[in-house]
Every structure is written in C-alpha cells, then in structure tokens.
Amino acid sequence: MVKGIMDTEEMASQKRWVYPDTPLFRQYQGLREKAGEALLFFRLGDFYELFGDQAVEVSRVLGLTLTSRDRNKSNPLPMCGIPARSLELYLPRLVSLGYRIAISEQTQPDLESDGMFAREIVRIVTRSTLIEDPSLEGGQTKNGVCIVRMDESVAISSLDLSSGHLAVFEPQNKGDLDAILDWMASKSPVEILIADNELSVALSGIDHQRMSPSEIPLTELLDVLPQGFEFPVLSPASERALSTLISYVASLKAGIIHHLTGVTVEKTVGTLVIDRASIRHLDLVPDQEDRKKNGSLLEVLDQSRSSLGSRMLRRWVLAPLSDRETILLRQWIVKRMDENPRWADRIGDILGSTGDIERILGRIGMKGRLPRDLGGIRDGIQGAIELAKMPEWTELLPDHKRDASIEILSAMVLRLSGALVDDPPVSCGESPVIRDGFDAELDGYRHFEREGDQDLLKIEERERRSTGIDTLRIRYNQVAGYYIEVTKGQVSKVPSHYFRKQTLTGVERYTLPELMDFEQRIAESRSRAQQREFALLDELTTLVLSLSAQIQRMAEFLGTVDALLSFARVGKKRQYVLPSFSMDGAMSITNGRHPIVEARLMSGTFMPNDTNLGSGTFVLLTGPNMAGKSTYMRQLALIQIMAQMGAPVPADSAVLPIVDRILTRVGANDHILEGESTFMVEMKEVARVLRDATSKTLVILDEVGRGTATFDGMAIAWAVSEYIHDHIRSMTLFATHYHELHALTEKGQRFLNQSVAVRIEGGKIFFPHRISSGHSSKSYGIDVAKLAGVPEVVIERATRILEHWNRQKPFKAISDGLSQLPEKDSGALPLFNWKVRSDKPTQSS
Ligand code: ADP
Ligand code: MG
C-alpha cells in the first residue's frame, strides 16, 4: 500500500466521504457509530488510523500529513496515521483541545472468518480519564466532577482517576449552589458533568456536559468498583452524585478501577472556606488557562521533593484548616524539621526517591501487568516504611498508629523484592522480570534455555569435527531460527544429510532434524517461561491491588510529610516565621509581606508593612491608584491562609486570629463571558458576602461599587460598610476610591481609616507603598494625567473644576449628615433582605 500525500485543502473541501465497501470499512463504520462524537483511533498494525472527516481534522490540528489509500480515485478517502507507540504523545494534545478519543484495538489474536481481526473500542479518553499525561508527574490533578440535584438538595462528587481520590460534598444549607461552586473550584476540575436540566441552564456560563442522573445504587456498580470498596452512609443526593459520575467513567470503559478504595465525604467543618472568587483573586494556584500570570501561592510554597507533596500542598492551599489543634500540630512538626536539619535532610532524601506511589498504583489499577510500576511500588513503599518507622514520629505524632498496615506492607515489599529483578522493564516480554530462584517452574524453563545453549555448543563442536569445516557456526536469528552457517569456500565439505535453508552472498545456511527439534523445544520453553512470568506478575499485581487502601494511606503520609518539609524549606529560604494565634480575634503583624509579589520582585525591594487590627475592625483604605492597596489587602488574606495551612508566613512576627472564611470581592471584574453585566456580578458577590460572612470571617472588598454611577455606588458602599460593621462584625478591609467614606469613623468605633500615600518629586510620582493611619483626600488623578502627557489646557481646566468642587464640597455635605441618618426608615431596606438565608438553590437567574 503506497500512501500518497494529499493536498489538505483539496481534501477538506470534500464534504462527504465514500467509504469503500469492504469488510474493513464496514467494521470501521460500525465502530464510528459506537464512538459517537469521539475521534475513532482505528488500530491497524502499528498505527492508529483516522479516516474521512476525522482524518482531515486531526491532521489539521496536529500538523500531521494527510494521506490516502486510493489517491488516484476521483474522490480519495483521506487518512491520517498515528504510530501506536507515540500514542502518549498525541493523546494529551488532542484532549487538551477538547476532543474525546475512542481507542479501538484488535481484541483477538486470530483472524475472523472474513479474514479480519476483531476490533473493539477498549477505552474512551476524555480530559478526566487521560492518565497518560506527562503533566500528571507534577502536582497536577485531573478531577472530573458531577453536580446533581434531588428535590431541594444539590450534591457534587469528584474523581481523580489517576490517584483514586473519590469525594463527595453536600452543603450544610440545603441546595446552596454557591457552596457547591466553591467546592468545585477547590478541585480545579478538568471535566464537569451536570445531571440536572435546570442546573445545566443556570450554569450555562460554565463549560460542562449535560448528563442524565444515574439511579443505580452505588452498591450495584460492580463493573467499576472493586471488591473491598468501602461504601459510606450517604444522603440520596450524594449517592446520586457518586453513582452518576462512576457510571459515566464506566461508560468510558475504564473497566474495574482497582485502586478506588472508598469515598471521602467532605465537610466544610474544620476547614477554612475559601470561595471561588478568592481562589482567583488571591492567585492561590496556578491559573491553568492564563499562563501569563505571575506566580501563585502554591508555586511559592512548593519546595516539595515529590509530586505527592505537591498535590498535598495544592489540597492544603485550597482547603486550609480552621481547627487550632491540627494547625499547631503541623507547625510543631515544621518547627522540628527546621531545628533538626539532619533529620530533615534524611526525610528529604527518602521522599526524593520514593516516587509517586499513588499514581503508580493508579496505573497498575487501570492497566494491570506493569513490571516497572510493580518495582516502583516495591521501592516506594520500602522508603515509606523506613520513613514511617522513624522514632521521631512517636514524639511528634503520639497518635500516629504504628499501623498494622506497616506489617502487611513490609510483607508485600519482601515478596516483591524476592520476585522482581532489580530494574524491571517497562513492559513484559522485553527482558526477564522475575528473578532466578524465585519460582522453581520458571527456573526449570529457563534452565532448559540456558542448558540448550550448552547443547548447541556441543553440536557445533561435533559437526566441526565430523565435517572438518573449522569455520562452521550455529547461529540464530528471529526470522530464520537456528541454522548452521558455512562460508562459500567450504561448501564442498558439507555432508549430504544437511538441508539447505538459505543462500546469501558469501555464506550458505543449513539445518538438521536435530536442530529443528531443538528449536522447537527451545521455543516451547521460552513460551512457557513467558506464560509463567505473566502468571507470576498477575499474582503480584493482585497482591499489590489488594493492598490499595494501605498503599494510599502511605501515600497520604508521604505527601503530608513532604508538604510539611516544604514549609520548613520555604520558611528558611524566604525568612518566614511561624505565627501564633490570638484568642481575641485580633491580628498583629510586623513587617508583613505579600508572598507572591515579594517572590517576583528583586530581593529587598518589597516594602513590608505592619498591621494591628482588633477583632471586628473595618478598615477603610484609601489612596491613589497603584499605591499598593490591593497588594496590601491580599497580603493579609494570604498570610491568613498560609497560617491556617500550618505554614510559616512572610513577616518578622505575626499573631493572627483563626478565621472561618475568607471572602474577597473585587469591583468591576470582567464577567462579560458569563453573560452578565459586571455590576450585576459585583452586587451578587456583595450579596453573598453579606449572607455568608460571620464575625469570624476575613472580608476583603477591593473597590466595590465602582460599576455604577458615583452616587449610587457610594450609597451602596456606605450602606454595605455600615451593615458589616454594625451587624456582621467581620474583620474587613475595604479599599475604596470614595474618600468620603472616611466619615464613617464618626459612626462606629471599629471603623479605621488607613491610607497609602504617594510622593511627587521633580515631575515624577513615587510609590513608597507605606500603609499609614488616616485617610487620603487626594486621588492624584490629575497628576497622573499630566505625567501621561494630557495637554496642558485640559489639565488646567480639570484642576479648576476640581478646585471648584472642593470649595463647594458637594460630597462632604452629603456624607456629613449620613452618620446621623437612621439606618431604616420604616421596615427594612431591601438591600438587607440578602441576609435572609434561603433554602432554595441560589441560582444565577
Ligand atoms: P492599588 O491597588 O493601590 O492600585 P496595587 O496594590 O495594585 O495598587 O499595587 C500596584 C503595584 O505596586 C503592584 O503591582 C506591585 O508590584 C507594587 N507594590 C504594591 N505594594 C508593594 C510593596 N509593599 N512593595 C513593593 N511593591 C509593591
Ligand atoms: Mg487595586
């Protein structure tokens, strides 16, 4: 078959392709139908082939050559091949472009009656079921999530197939869709399923797939869940969320997922809840879409030695603790690592060599017989046991159970070490996988193979002597098998009972019945040896998978230790301190810094700031653009998050409250894509702050109220501030360009005016980034306009207008009376109805 290179444009212009009427293409079309929208990778020998429209499309997006089998026909069918061994290269690229890929394989070794191999779709690869992605080696996760509704309840499940993490969440307030979306954001999902029509419409701004909910109880999903899976007691909505997600994965033919051992039922109790807006605004984790961004908290904190540690840190960043004891325990270990560098180094060395046992287990669970990965489990668990047995843990973690699992796992390591060669090959059949001396039967076959070599030498020697041909050699190659080789010059001496096998230039090849017999016996013992190796490997695989839960617990332990070690390392490297926690809800920081901005700037150029805020303080932060307001407020939120992770914080010293939530609102944020006016979004977010914040919440409001007319915006900002101050009492920082709000301090004693000033010198603006008390009364807008080169006449005119207004003091007059204005006239201001908790899902209408 000669594949002619085709002109892509010419082929792309063809709309409908005529598939040849052959058994092969009938089979192809049958599978295409089953594959639905997915690209069909049709296995043909060493290639996966695509045909017709899919060939044209894939060749275009991957830049591959388009070919055809019948180039000379008038309407040649385009095809495009992907080498089977490079599959792992192409899958991630196609999946990241949003394609689903149905992989078909020959399912039987023999030809069918019509002269064809049977083929079936063995797997459908999607964003969340792609396990061959190099990015998984890092701290990435590939969570698929599924949102369902049942009457008034909403629940969400998530599955990271490559590590086997399965979780489900149902908000405390029935049907609280915001809580669902926050939880979802903390999983950074790559694939989102929504199994409810109304929700699907309400969340149309989110890229998702609509499904029908599964009604099958979890306990009946036996084609996916392995034996020994622990079924927790679940609410009907949670059960449905899990069942739908798992059924979906089953429909992608992932087979039984052997490394799924149970479900984590996640709660917000005990964690610091960070809403999705804060995850974004505070740059907690790298933004997968926006690569231009300048770093994230996770990247600053991640000094871990293994991807287990990186993934643990990601979890911690998105869900810090709110339980004092656990935070202090983490701090305690970090401190000991810091004080005991030799111990820390030893831990680091072990972690650096244990590998990603969670992912390795995942691969074994999904794909079975993988010698190198079995070796990975052997080495990784051995390291993990060494780590777990360190005497230090008894002091640091008195409750740390010297788990029975250490014993079981040690036995497993022993078994694996006894069985596997030191460096097992990637797949079977390449080189020996099982050690000599481990299995008598296997040794028998191998012995025969090796003895055979001796036998051959004997035959060779004998034939040389009897024929007198001293260059006579017995050789082997895969095509011809065993043969006797004689150089042309000596052919006359070849005895008549030799059978000629092959003639080459310079040599003749012969064989003998004895040799043929020998060959057959060797081949047989080889194949027996291979079968025996397979059987032994399968046994080892079963053993490892039966201990999945214990291995995952070990992985959890390694990840935790690695994350803590990372804290110790980053603390030392960047001169952070471990904070202590106040009992009265006050916050006091000396020389606090913004971890991400500081890491980005040249060392020593970040300007530290002190913070001293009593419980329930409401800071009104004013100052010109670029002065550093946003940076300062985010710095406080980030320090708070780091502290509640148990990490050291960028400051000289810090005493912090323990907060239940961090809520961040940034005004005039661009949500156009979600189809809503920015002001509407801004107000919805504000509504949510007023609904969710408590006296233990840290609230950051950055220029909220900007998206509407000045008086409107200022009125809302004023009322919101009052309401938080008087009724909710959250510690709040509000950066605002409405200088007039400073008058609020007359109204309540927990209001605090702070400002960031600038200096203008020699026609230049300097930003000292210093937070000081008192409000600023000037925006420097005109100064900036002047520096930017706005014509002098305009600057002059603007200056006059401003002076005029300042004389008139229209805003001052307005704000003056406000602090005396009663909160309500009669009945409640509609604004505050937001506080009323609704039991209905708060859908974005
Ligand atoms: P604002 O919110 O007042 O407009 P930003 O907080 O966005 O100002 O700060 C503007 C820029 O100034 C930031 O991008 C940052 O690089 C720099 N900056 C802010 N605070 C500091 C600081 N304390 N030390 C050094 N640079 C800072
Ligand atoms: Mg700002």
Side-chain angles (χ1 to χ4, degrees):
M1 167 179 71
V2 179
K3 295 182 184 177
I5 294 177
M6 303 199 37
D7 175 5
T8 314
E9 298 224 340
E10 165 201 332
M11 311 230 328
S13 67
Q14 309 277 358
K15 292 258 156 39
R16 287 184 62 81
W17 307 103
V18 184
Y19 293 96
D21 189 21
T22 61
L24 185 80
F25 279 99
R26 280 196 290 276
Q27 191 185 45
Y28 172 79
Q29 281 174 293
L31 290 178
R32 263 298 279 272
E33 231 157 75
K34 282 190 194 159
E37 302 253 286
L39 295 173
L40 177 63
F41 274 33
F42 189 70
R43 183 69 181 255
L44 273 179
D46 291 337
F47 282 82
Y48 293 103
E49 297 287 359
L50 293 111
F51 296 100
D53 52 332
Q54 293 194 336
V56 173
E57 183 153 350
V58 167
S59 76
R60 184 175 53 78
V61 299
L62 291 183
L64 297 175
T65 313
L66 204 54
T67 62
S68 172
R69 303 180 116 184
D70 43 14
R71 180 170 167 61
N72 297 325
K73 288 210 189 125
S74 63
N75 186 8
L77 179 68
M79 64 188 273
C80 164
I82 288 178
R85 69 188 138 72
S86 315
L87 185 66
E88 308 199 347
L89 232 65
Y90 291 103
L91 282 184
R93 284 169 66 191
L94 284 171
V95 165
S96 71
L97 290 169
Y99 292 99
R100 302 153 70 82
I101 296 123
I103 298 182
S104 80
E105 300 284 0
Q106 280 165 214
T107 46
Q108 256 147 41
D110 301 315
L111 295 174
E112 304 266 275
S113 56
D114 53 5
M116 285 209 317
F117 290 105
R119 286 186 183 78
E120 262 171 41
I121 294 174
V122 293
R123 212 174 131 212
I124 297 171
V125 181
T126 70
R127 281 179 198 252
S128 69
T129 59
L130 173 71
I131 54 170
E132 294 88 348
D133 190 345
S135 77
L136 283 175
E137 300 303 323
Q140 293 247 20
T141 50
K142 284 206 184 296
N143 282 303
V145 300
C146 175
I147 307 177
V148 302
R149 196 167 67 143
M150 217 166 172
D151 307 323
E152 299 286 277
S153 304
V154 188
I156 178 168
S157 56
S158 82
L159 172 60
D160 181 24
L161 201 55
S162 59
S163 66
H165 281 279
L166 179 64
V168 68
F169 171 75
E170 210 176 320
Q172 263 173 329
N173 295 328
K174 244 189 188 185
D176 182 349
L177 197 53
D178 271 317
I180 292 272
L181 295 181
D182 288 345
W183 189 85
M184 181 169 93
S186 78
K187 297 284 168 191
S188 331
V190 293
E191 197 170 349
I192 299 169
L193 311 174
I194 298 181
D196 181 82
N197 290 346
E198 253 177 68
L199 287 182
S200 174
V201 173
L203 301 177
S204 59
I206 297 173
D207 183 14
H208 71 268
Q209 212 180 317
R210 192 188 293 197
M211 311 271 304
S212 30
S214 153
E215 305 300 338
I216 309 170
L218 268 190
T219 42
E220 284 172 27
L221 289 171
L222 299 176
D223 46 350
V224 211
L225 298 175
Q227 270 188 348
F229 182 89
E230 290 191 23
F231 298 96
V233 180
L234 294 164
S235 74
S238 291
E239 170 120 14
R240 179 182 281 188
L242 286 166
S243 173
T244 308
L245 184 58
I246 294 170
S247 304
Y248 169 73
V249 174
S251 76
L252 303 177
K253 300 173 182 267
I256 291 189
I257 308 166
H258 292 280
H259 59 294
L260 278 190
T261 52
V263 189
T264 318
V265 182
E266 293 199 6
K267 301 236 158 62
T268 46
V269 182
T271 58
L272 160 56
V273 180
I274 306 176
D275 66 327
R276 57 195 186 283
S278 301
I279 294 176
R280 206 170 49 234
H281 296 319
L282 298 175
D283 294 315
L284 296 186
V285 291
D287 191 325
Q288 271 157 3
E289 273 123 62
D290 189 357
R291 291 178 199 284
K292 297 188 301 285
K293 278 224 177 145
N294 289 313
S296 63
L297 181 61
L298 179 60
E299 286 160 288
V300 171
L301 284 178
D302 191 356
Q303 292 280 322
S304 59
R305 301 292 307 263
S306 70
S307 31
L308 285 172
S310 298
R311 285 205 300 280
M312 187 60 76
L313 281 173
R314 172 183 278 271
R315 268 157 70 185
W316 288 3
V317 165
L318 295 170
L321 303 165
S322 64
D323 164 48
R324 185 182 299 260
E325 293 307 309
T326 323
I327 298 172
L328 292 179
L329 181 62
R330 283 192 194 165
Q331 279 198 352
W332 170 229
I333 297 174
V334 172
K335 196 156 157 254
R336 291 304 301 270
M337 287 170 163
D338 186 48
E339 288 165 353
N340 195 344
R342 285 199 27 222
W343 179 52
D345 285 347
R346 222 170 88 234
I347 294 179
D349 289 345
I350 296 178
L351 289 170
S353 65
T354 43
D356 193 341
I357 50 176
E358 203 170 48
R359 286 267 146 83
I360 295 177
L361 180 71
R363 279 201 297 269
I364 298 176
M366 303 269 299
K367 293 185 155 181
R369 214 183 271 162
L370 296 169
R372 173 154 303 164
D373 282 338
L374 286 175
I377 291 288
R378 169 195 64 193
D379 302 340
I381 293 294
Q382 190 155 32
I385 291 173
E386 189 187 333
L387 195 70
K389 280 186 169 166
M390 284 181 168
E392 283 85 350
W393 300 123
T394 20
E395 185 201 344
L396 294 175
L397 303 171
D399 295 336
H400 171 62
K401 279 187 217 84
R402 208 52 71 73
D403 222 347
S405 65
I406 288 194
E407 227 164 278
I408 307 178
L409 288 175
S410 302
M412 177 195 78
V413 169
L414 213 62
R415 176 95 182 146
L416 288 173
S417 312
L420 293 172
V421 297
D422 288 344
D423 264 319
V426 176
S427 54
C428 299
E430 291 175 23
S431 60
V433 170
I434 303 289
R435 264 183 216 288
D436 286 338
F438 175 72
D439 179 69
E441 187 182 335
L442 180 62
D443 286 348
Y445 302 134
R446 284 189 181 156
H447 179 74
F448 182 78
E449 254 186 271
R450 287 184 201 136
E451 284 293 288
D453 284 346
Q454 293 302 312
D455 287 352
L456 270 190
L457 285 177
K458 277 187 209 140
I459 302 176
E460 191 180 68
E461 194 48 45
R462 189 191 68 208
E463 291 300 309
R464 263 189 211 159
R465 243 183 285 118
S466 71
T467 59
I469 307 174
D470 50 2
T471 57
L472 179 147
R473 282 216 165 76
I474 296 186
R475 300 195 155 190
Y476 172 82
N477 73 34
Q478 280 209 314
V479 184
Y482 289 94
Y483 52 83
I484 300 172
E485 195 168 88
V486 178
T487 50
K488 281 269 157 71
Q490 311 238 20
V491 167
S492 56
K493 294 191 199 164
V494 170
S496 56
H497 66 277
Y498 274 34
F499 296 101
R500 192 196 308 268
K501 202 168 176 169
Q502 238 182 341
T503 305
L504 302 175
T505 43
V507 294
E508 290 284 336
R509 290 173 177 175
Y510 302 90
T511 188
L512 291 170
E514 186 185 6
L515 211 54
M516 291 191 304
D517 182 45
F518 176 82
E519 186 172 328
Q520 203 185 346
R521 277 186 297 139
I522 287 277
E524 222 162 79
S525 67
R526 272 211 188 111
S527 125
R528 289 233 174 105
Q530 175 99 82
Q531 291 309 318
R532 185 63 193 157
E533 262 201 341
F534 282 174
L536 290 169
L537 273 177
D538 289 348
E539 239 172 68
L540 295 173
T541 303
T542 309
L543 169 69
V544 166
L545 288 175
S546 72
L547 297 175
S548 293
Q550 286 87 342
I551 294 172
Q552 281 164 351
R553 262 210 299 284
M554 269 299 183
E556 190 95 358
F557 171 69
L558 291 179
T560 305
V561 173
D562 201 4
L564 293 171
L565 185 65
S566 185
F567 286 167
R569 289 156 61 109
V570 80
K572 194 164 273 181
K573 176 174 163 194
R574 301 196 179 275
Q575 297 175 333
Y576 293 174
V577 295
L578 286 172
S580 49
F581 294 96
S582 62
M583 289 295 183
D584 58 359
M587 176 187 272
S588 134
I589 301 170
T590 18
N591 287 327
R593 288 113 61 196
H594 186 299
I596 310 168
V597 177
E598 185 191 36
R600 194 170 68 219
L601 292 180
M602 256 180 2
S603 81
T605 50
F606 189 89
M607 171 59 74
N609 273 296
D610 292 348
T611 304
N612 277 298
L613 305 175
S615 144
T617 303
F618 192 112
V619 178
L620 291 152
L621 186 58
T622 47
N625 223 356
M626 288 301 284
K629 301 181 297 296
S630 302
T631 307
Y632 175 68
M633 294 193 303
R634 285 178 167 87
Q635 164 182 321
L636 296 190
L638 287 167
I639 286 179
Q640 191 64 45
I641 288 172
M642 294 165 84
Q644 290 189 232
M645 291 170 71
V649 301
D652 288 353
S653 71
V655 184
L656 303 170
I658 289 182
V659 305
D660 62 353
R661 249 176 214 280
I662 288 188
L663 290 162
T664 317
R665 291 299 172 262
V666 176
N669 195 27
D670 195 3
H671 277 263
I672 307 269
L673 280 179
E674 290 179 22
E676 289 188 271
S677 88
T678 53
F679 187 65
M680 183 64 176
V681 173
E682 205 179 309
M683 286 303 105
K684 270 188 186 163
E685 294 196 336
V686 167
R688 214 190 144 202
V689 170
L690 300 183
R691 195 195 73 192
D692 286 346
T694 72
S695 62
K696 288 193 171 142
T697 302
L698 177 61
V699 178
I700 306 280
L701 302 171
D702 198 348
E703 311 264 10
V704 167
R706 216 171 186 165
T708 181
T710 304
F711 285 118
D712 242 15
M714 198 155 79
I716 293 171
W718 184 286
V720 165
S721 304
E722 267 183 358
Y723 187 74
I724 294 178
H725 176 276
D726 297 352
H727 300 288
I728 308 180
R729 294 172 168 242
S730 311
M731 183 180 283
T732 306
L733 288 108
F734 184 7
T736 179
H737 53 292
Y738 298 128
H739 298 137
E740 297 73 16
L741 292 188
H742 74 82
L744 276 166
T745 44
E746 290 162 27
K747 220 208 145 203
Q749 46 174 312
R750 276 174 288 102
F751 277 118
L752 183 67
N753 280 317
Q754 292 194 323
S755 58
V756 208
V758 301
R759 248 180 25 240
I760 300 204
E761 252 174 48
K764 276 190 176 159
I765 296 194
F766 292 94
F767 297 101
H769 305 306
R770 263 298 193 195
I771 309 289
S772 51
S773 55
H775 68 278
S776 74
S777 50
K778 192 167 173 228
S779 309
Y780 295 89
I782 295 180
D783 302 274
V784 173
K786 192 171 165 188
L787 289 175
V790 172
E792 195 61 31
V793 274
V794 177
I795 297 290
E796 249 169 50
R797 177 72 181 147
T799 312
R800 275 210 187 169
I801 295 172
L802 186 66
E803 276 168 11
H804 170 74
W805 278 344
N806 278 343
R807 267 195 307 278
Q808 303 277 313
K809 295 198 164 64
F811 295 119
K812 176 143 192 348
I814 288 163
S815 59
D816 268 355
L818 270 182
S819 43
Q820 272 81 50
L821 193 70
E823 191 171 288
K824 317 175 195 178
D825 281 345
S826 54
L829 255 66
L831 183 68
F832 300 136
N833 284 342
W834 291 331
K835 179 67 184 170
V836 178
R837 286 184 195 277
S838 147
D839 278 346
K840 300 226 176 66
T842 36
Q843 287 158 11
S844 26
S845 49

